[in-house]
Amino acid sequence: MEFSFESVESLIDLAGNAGTTTGKLANAFATVQKLLNKTQAGGDADIKLALSELALQVANAKLANADLKLQLTALKDELHEAQVFKSDLDRYTLWETQTGAIVYRLEKAIQDGEPIHYLCTNCIESKRKSILQGTKHHRSCPCCKAGFSFERQAPISLR
Ligand SMILES: [Zn+2]
């Protein structure tokens, strides 16, 4: 994965710092406005216009910044979910059944008390973990209903 957790964290910090900067800008603007009102008793129309333009820009910057922060936080959550999913999937390997179906199988070495089980490859593609259910001959996915054959059935005896 190209994006790392740390890079998103630092972007969020950056957005936070930019917020501080626009906050300072807003304070400076208020100070200038006070001074102008004092010294010029109403002030020059051009200056007033420039100041209201500046106020608008500060407000916009604040909004854009808050929006950016929200987006980055959502991205961080998404990334975290993807990492949790991936580290869980790392415990499984693609495995071919006796009859040639491909499923994900829990690695024996990292079973960690869980029974051996198999995951649906269709559902993994949609970032969904679905444990196959069924018999040793045939299992199916409870989510997407895909069927997977495992061991060959013993030939039916006609005696
Ligand atoms: Zn499935």
Side-chain angles (χ1 to χ4, degrees), residues 6-39:
E6 288 71 29
S7 71
V8 175
E9 285 278 14
S10 61
L11 276 175
I12 291 173
D13 282 350
L14 209 65
N17 290 338
T20 316
T21 311
T22 50
K24 279 178 187 160
L25 194 59
N27 285 341
F29 163 75
T31 308
V32 170
Q33 197 173 40
K34 250 185 236 164
L35 280 173
L36 276 175
N37 285 342
K38 241 187 226 169
T39 56

Side-chain angles (χ1 to χ4, degrees), residues 61-99:
K62 271 185 173 168
L63 277 179
N65 198 62
D67 194 40
L68 180 67
K69 218 172 169 179
L70 273 179
Q71 285 181 27
L72 284 171
T73 306
L75 181 65
K76 192 182 97 172
D77 290 348
E78 225 172 273
L79 193 64
H80 179 68
E81 258 174 54
Q83 280 177 338
V84 167
F85 182 79
K86 196 188 167 294
S87 69
D88 186 35
L89 191 62
D90 280 347
R91 305 185 309 129
Y92 299 82
T93 45
L94 267 180
W95 180 75
E96 187 176 359
T97 70
Q98 196 189 67
T99 54

